[in-house]
Amino acid sequence: MSEPYQVDPLSGRPLGHQSFGAYPPPLPPPPPPRGNTRWVVLLAVVLALLVGAVVAVVALVDDSPEPVAVAAPTTSPPPTVSLPQPTGVRVPSTRPGWQGVLSVKEQLVYDVPEDWKVENLGTVVGFNDNNGNAVAIMHGATTYKPEVCPESRGSYRGHTGFVSVGSTDPERAALNGARLFADAAALNPDDTRAPVATTPPTPTTIANGVEAISATARVTITHPSDCPSPTVLFTSVAFRHGTSTALFMIYIDEGVPDALNPAIIDQIIKTIRPRS
């Protein structure tokens, strides 16, 4: 069993020693942030997946003084399932004109509009701290308006994906998932933090009326850069999936002409479903 990975509930930074198993070492600091966020794409996870390596788990902790540790899974092979192994992450969509996206780890599917970029199997997206250490990451990802600002390499207007939370209670996972990602995004290059406002978890539903919990957090940008937006909205959706909890995240730029219509967020959430 790998050692637990602990995260400070206020800063979102790892606490003390952390064991990532065969998770790739942190990338060097990303290019200058867009809208003061620390966006990164870690591509080396493909190798870890191929050798059956341990995948790091993002620990979502509560407001208690003692951080809660979530242990990474063991290196034992995953249980055999009857479904054939996918050759990619694109699957049929339930909405005309959209595209279905498979998260291989959760065996869950969601749909996004046709103009979104579906990231390759094994790609994860998220945030580094100012030392280049991964703080908050998600997999099964898609990107809204990639390279939207030509002068800012790696720019975009939004991301979606899943976060590993083990069997964490859905309400806790939703609230702390939104807060963890927002706090990570709020870190400025000078180590100051942009303001973050959160909302309490509320009930929602995903596909087929399955009950879920949703929460939001909003970062007000204080250090804009080459591709800024006034604010960034983080929406989390957590629900029971078998014996585990699934956490879906979506974050988008707000207050810019090419920002995503907020109604699309709800439409995406309503498509989340088990792989058929």
Side-chain angles (χ1 to χ4, degrees):
M1 179 69 70
S2 297
E3 296 181 22
Y5 174 30
Q6 299 178 342
V7 177
D8 187 308
L10 298 180
S11 69
R13 294 186 176 183
L15 292 174
H17 176 75
Q18 53 182 288
S19 174
F20 287 93
Y23 187 84
L27 293 178
R34 176 184 58 82
N36 87 290
T37 54
R38 314 297 301 168
W39 316 92
V40 295
V41 177
L42 313 178
L43 300 178
V45 176
V46 175
L47 177 60
L49 293 176
L50 291 177
V51 299
V54 175
V55 178
V57 175
V58 176
L60 303 179
V61 300
D62 59 20
D63 292 323
S64 61
E66 293 299 324
V68 177
V70 178
T74 67
T75 55
S76 301
T80 303
V81 294
S82 58
L83 294 173
Q85 290 299 310
T87 57
V89 295
R90 294 177 182 271
V91 294
S93 169
T94 57
R95 291 183 64 90
W98 285 31
Q99 50 188 331
V101 184
L102 170 67
S103 174
V104 175
K105 181 173 183 180
E106 285 83 10
Q107 289 294 294
L108 289 168
V109 176
Y110 65 98
D111 300 338
V112 292
E114 190 63 37
D115 60 344
W116 287 50
K117 178 185 178 182
V118 178
E119 300 295 346
N120 294 331
L121 181 66
T123 298
V124 298
V125 300
F127 302 91
N128 279 352
D129 64 18
N130 286 336
N131 295 318
N133 300 312
V135 174
I137 57 173
M138 61 189 189
H139 52 270
T142 59
T143 303
Y144 175 57
K145 291 192 176 296
E147 306 299 340
V148 64
C149 299
E151 67 278 10
S152 179
R153 183 170 61 89
S155 61
Y156 57 86
R157 291 301 185 199
H159 277 313
T160 63
F162 284 93
V163 182
S164 298
V165 295
S167 58
T168 306
D169 176 76
E171 182 171 328
R172 178 183 166 205
L175 176 62
N176 290 289
R179 184 177 61 189
L180 175 67
F181 273 76
D183 283 348
L187 179 63
N188 293 318
D190 61 1
D191 287 330
T192 61
R193 289 189 176 273
V196 176
T198 61
T199 64
T202 58
T204 189
T205 58
I206 56 174
N208 304 314
V210 173
E211 295 181 353
I213 300 292
S214 180
T216 65
R218 179 174 280 108
V219 178
T220 300
I221 303 304
T222 56
H223 286 54
S225 58
D226 292 339
C227 194
S229 65
T231 56
V232 181
L233 176 66
F234 296 78
T235 302
S236 63
V237 180
F239 54 96
R240 291 293 186 191
H241 178 54
T243 59
S244 301
T245 295
L247 177 62
F248 182 79
M249 288 291 308
I250 179 169
Y251 46 91
I252 61 168
D253 287 350
E254 296 181 305
V256 289
D258 51 2
L260 182 71
N261 184 335
I264 300 296
I265 296 178
D266 293 333
Q267 294 173 15
I268 292 173
I269 290 171
K270 296 299 183 186
T271 67
I272 301 171
R273 60 198 183 276
R275 181 190 179 199
S276 58

